[in-house]
Amino acid sequence: MNTLEVKTRPFPDQRPGTSGLRKKVPVFQQPHYLENFVQSIFDSLEGFQGKTLVVGGDGRYYNRHAIQVILRMAVANGFGRVIVGRGGLFSTPAVSCIIRKRRAFGGIVLSASHNPAGPDGDFGIKYNIANGGPAPEKITEAIFTRSRNLQCYLTTDSDDIDLDTAGEQKLGSTLIEVIDPVADYADLMEHLFDFDRIRSLIDSGLFSMRFDAMHAITGPYAVEILENRLGVEPEALMHATPREDFGGGHPDPNLVYAKELVDVLFGSQAPDFGAASDGDGDRNMILGRQCFITPSDSLAVLAANAHLTPGYRQGLAGIARSMPTSQAADRVADRLGIELYETPTGWKFFGNLLDAGKATLCGEESFGTGSDHLREKDGLWAVLFWLNLLAVRKESVHAIISAHWRSFGRNYYSRHDYEGVNADGAGELIESLRAAAGSLPGKRYGDYEVAFSDDFAYTDPVDGSLSEHQGIRIGFTDGSRIVLRLSGTGTEGATLRLYLERYEPDPAQQSLDAQDALADLIRIAEEIARIRHFTRREAPTVIT
Ligand code: G16
């Protein structure tokens, strides 16, 4: 085996977004494109010679090819050991789990998350650091800078590695270890949650559920954990076989893209509990019979009930949520007398808080929930957390959320997405809001009066780093909020996200439809931001 130095030229468009570099597959298929980015990652790191790298992806189209490329480059760049999931597979939370458990130097995750896959779909790559979490902005910016002047990369002339058999193989002086992608992660879940109790609930015959893996990576994890370890019937698992094109679907666990599951839970013979996860297994959606739990409410409920699970019995250090996530968790933190941290969108911002022991639970409105057990959000973890609560409380999902609202008040919440709009128009919308922000406080819109308005900036309480321009916040005197920001994960045009939130303390007013409850705020958002004008769209593409 020989090490090769391959000449290349820089690509101008390799700046990582909210969660790594995401592009259409044909973009990644350009000669040297993937290699350039991988070399830019390695060149931005120090001291990895002889250390361990974890590599795996969500199994989407191009995953197998990319893994072979990365293996050769990891060998040529001097890693001592590379741990790969069998078949090149790892869910994003499992990569985080393995990095931590095996004390690896870092890991590479291949995924474009919930974005569709296939030859014309999306592909993605991101680097995770030794704590198991996404690289912080300091590193992602260094990767981007390096990518802009890269002239060559290192690889080897070796054959493809057999990815389908667990075991160790030597390539040059690097050990390639192919492992079962599920076992370590499943063991960790068994340690955090009361599997005996969940199994009794499932065996009782009084409880039924569905889990939709959406033809993506959580299929094998769900089979091992839900079916093999907890006794859930195979028929309760939907789309549990991963496919390279995710069955042509859009594995985003929300009311629009997980419609099949939603129809079952809102149908006449609905089971008691429903859940779904996304392409790479880090997102989750929680449903009850005829009932949808917003991710923001889910975080609040988990926090309020964490003491009922073995893993969190000792209490929470603090809760962190991304800025656009509703303030429902703030009320729980307040009651528990613990700190609430508001961070920019992106799981990477939770890493320092978790490492410093400041937060135990974290959540995002974008169907992400997780804790200090890993440094990624974790789809099945959230499902198991809910199952543990249901097994202990022996109430329906609907009864649990209603009781929560009665106790804490309800934060009506919705997100309206305008996907794939013209990037210039979306940019102008944000610019005009930024310019107007200072003049909004004190203005009245119907019953609402603007209390504050700003472009959210975050100073990390651990390392003092400042992240600016993280979204426009318009807060009203009654605690309601409108937030607008541009997505950092799309691959076509721009995606504008409008987040709406209204607080309702009166139990008699807590069972409205969220869109009805938020109708005034939706109108006010249009009046202030002129969304139709700037996006040239009459309505959002996705409402969750
Ligand atoms: C990623 C990030 C999340 C973020 C989400 C949406 O999730 O990890 O932290 O909330 O994108 O980001 P945006 O609003 O910028 O599109 P995932 O599941 O896509 O990796």
Side-chain angles (χ1 to χ4, degrees):
M1 185 207 80
N2 299 302
T3 299
L4 310 174
E5 191 176 303
V6 181
K7 290 233 167 322
T8 185
R9 59 181 173 78
F11 291 90
D13 62 344
Q14 296 196 324
R15 175 178 240 141
T18 308
S19 186
L21 185 70
R22 290 186 190 168
K23 301 278 178 196
K24 294 275 167 215
V25 167
V27 175
F28 271 104
Q29 285 171 326
Q30 297 172 83
H32 309 310
Y33 193 88
L34 173 66
E35 289 86 345
N36 272 27
F37 191 71
V38 173
Q39 190 65 52
S40 300
I41 294 176
F42 293 158
D43 287 354
S44 308
L45 308 173
E46 268 169 33
F48 61 78
Q49 298 297 320
K51 301 269 173 60
T52 299
L53 182 73
V54 179
V55 183
D58 61 16
R60 67 177 60 223
Y61 183 81
Y62 212 55
N63 191 62
R64 278 184 168 265
H65 171 77
I67 299 257
Q68 298 291 353
V69 167
I70 293 165
L71 287 177
R72 281 192 275 271
M73 291 184 66
V75 170
N77 278 274
F79 278 94
R81 180 185 287 263
V82 185
I83 301 175
V84 199
R86 194 177 48 232
L89 300 178
F90 266 137
S91 72
T92 293
V95 171
S96 191
C97 168
I98 301 292
I99 292 175
R100 293 170 70 79
K101 185 165 181 178
R102 301 290 299 269
R103 297 182 195 287
F105 185 86
I108 291 182
V109 188
L110 300 169
S111 171
S113 187
H114 52 284
N115 295 8
D120 300 316
D122 290 351
F123 190 74
I125 171 167
K126 92 178 168 168
Y127 180 70
N128 279 24
I129 58 176
N131 73 358
E137 276 188 338
K138 195 172 61 174
I139 295 182
T140 55
E141 281 304 300
I143 294 170
F144 177 54
T145 305
R146 181 66 184 131
S147 75
R148 297 218 292 185
N149 52 42
L150 194 82
Q151 299 299 332
C152 66
Y153 61 82
L154 297 178
T155 186
T156 66
D157 59 3
S158 48
D159 291 337
D160 279 1
I161 288 280
D162 170 15
L163 295 176
D164 296 313
T165 320
E168 293 186 345
Q169 317 164 50
K170 198 97 186 175
L171 199 56
S173 46
T174 308
L175 205 61
I176 312 278
E177 187 183 345
V178 178
I179 69 167
D180 173 354
V182 177
D184 296 288
Y185 174 83
D187 292 348
L188 176 60
M189 293 302 112
E190 198 155 353
H191 173 74
L192 292 173
F193 300 112
D194 192 338
F195 272 34
D196 289 340
R197 217 147 170 177
I198 300 174
R199 199 178 305 109
S200 316
L201 175 73
I202 287 162
D203 289 347
S204 69
L206 301 171
F207 176 81
S208 56
M209 67 171 282
R210 287 276 196 297
F211 176 79
D212 189 352
M214 304 188 85
H215 283 311
I217 189 69
T218 38
Y221 293 84
V223 168
E224 172 59 19
I225 296 171
L226 297 176
E227 199 180 312
N228 298 347
R229 300 198 188 191
L230 290 170
V232 170
E233 291 186 353
E235 303 75 59
L237 305 186
M238 299 162 65
H239 310 125
T241 307
R243 301 243 176 95
E244 279 203 333
D245 66 349
F246 299 144
H250 192 146
D252 197 356
N254 61 35
L255 296 173
V256 174
Y257 294 120
K259 185 166 184 309
E260 205 178 321
L261 175 74
V262 172
D263 286 348
V264 172
L265 268 292
F266 282 81
S268 53
Q269 305 285 313
D272 300 288
F273 179 70
S277 192
D278 70 331
D280 61 330
D282 58 1
R283 296 186 174 205
N284 74 92
M285 174 171 66
I286 301 295
L287 301 164
R289 180 179 293 154
Q290 325 277 343
C291 157
F292 162 63
I293 306 293
T294 69
S296 299
D297 276 344
S298 181
L299 173 66
V301 169
L302 298 187
N305 292 278
H307 59 283
L308 302 177
T309 65
Y312 306 93
R313 188 160 284 148
Q314 68 290 359
L316 308 176
I319 307 172
R321 63 161 174 83
S322 67
M323 180 273 282
T325 303
S326 98
Q327 300 160 96
D330 304 31
R331 298 180 183 278
V332 178
D334 197 41
R335 174 110 34 111
L336 295 174
I338 57 177
E339 204 64 41
L340 184 288
Y341 298 89
E342 184 175 42
T343 61
T345 294
W347 204 263
K348 58 189 175 224
F349 292 102
F350 295 135
N352 278 349
L353 298 172
L354 294 166
D355 283 350
K358 288 179 178 295
T360 308
L361 294 192
C362 307
E364 295 190 284
E365 49 68 37
S366 54
F367 295 82
T369 337
S371 87
D372 58 358
H373 70 294
L374 299 176
R375 295 295 180 272
E376 287 280 4
K377 56 187 184 274
D378 190 346
L380 269 172
W381 168 90
V383 176
L384 293 165
F385 205 139
W386 268 93
L387 284 172
N388 199 149
L389 301 191
L390 293 168
V392 174
R393 288 188 47 165
K394 298 196 164 46
E395 290 168 89
S396 70
V397 173
H398 187 261
I400 289 176
I401 192 66
S402 305
H404 184 90
W405 291 336
R406 275 197 303 281
S407 175
F408 292 92
R410 176 173 181 183
N411 289 69
Y412 279 108
Y413 187 80
S414 182
R415 183 175 106 183
H416 291 196
D417 294 333
Y418 295 77
E419 295 176 321
V421 299
N422 180 279
D424 291 340
E428 281 165 27
L429 182 151
I430 296 292
E431 276 311 318
S432 82
L433 279 175
R434 218 170 254 153
S439 64
L440 289 177
K443 280 200 178 159
R444 288 198 73 88
Y445 296 87
D447 294 340
Y448 294 88
E449 181 182 337
V450 178
F452 71 93
S453 172
D454 63 5
D455 188 356
F456 182 60
Y458 176 68
T459 303
D460 186 298
V462 180
D463 66 16
S465 59
L466 174 68
S467 301
E468 294 178 287
H469 306 305
Q470 298 296 326
I472 307 294
R473 298 191 294 183
I474 303 168
F476 297 90
T477 48
D478 69 343
S480 299
R481 289 194 317 172
I482 292 172
V483 171
L484 291 114
R485 60 177 281 281
L486 299 182
S487 158
T489 56
T491 55
E492 256 171 310
T495 291
L496 174 73
R497 303 203 195 284
L498 164 67
Y499 311 83
L500 304 138
E501 175 180 5
R502 172 165 91 74
Y503 181 62
E504 179 54 73
D506 178 2
Q509 300 296 324
Q510 289 171 351
S511 22
L512 298 178
D513 172 77
Q515 301 308 315
D516 293 340
L518 294 165
D520 287 343
L521 285 172
I522 294 170
R523 270 193 298 276
I524 294 169
E526 172 59 31
E527 188 177 337
I528 297 178
R530 298 170 65 213
I531 300 170
R532 280 191 223 134
H533 166 78
F534 284 111
T535 63
R536 303 210 176 114
R537 293 276 174 82
E538 282 308 305
T541 30
V542 178
I543 294 180
T544 46

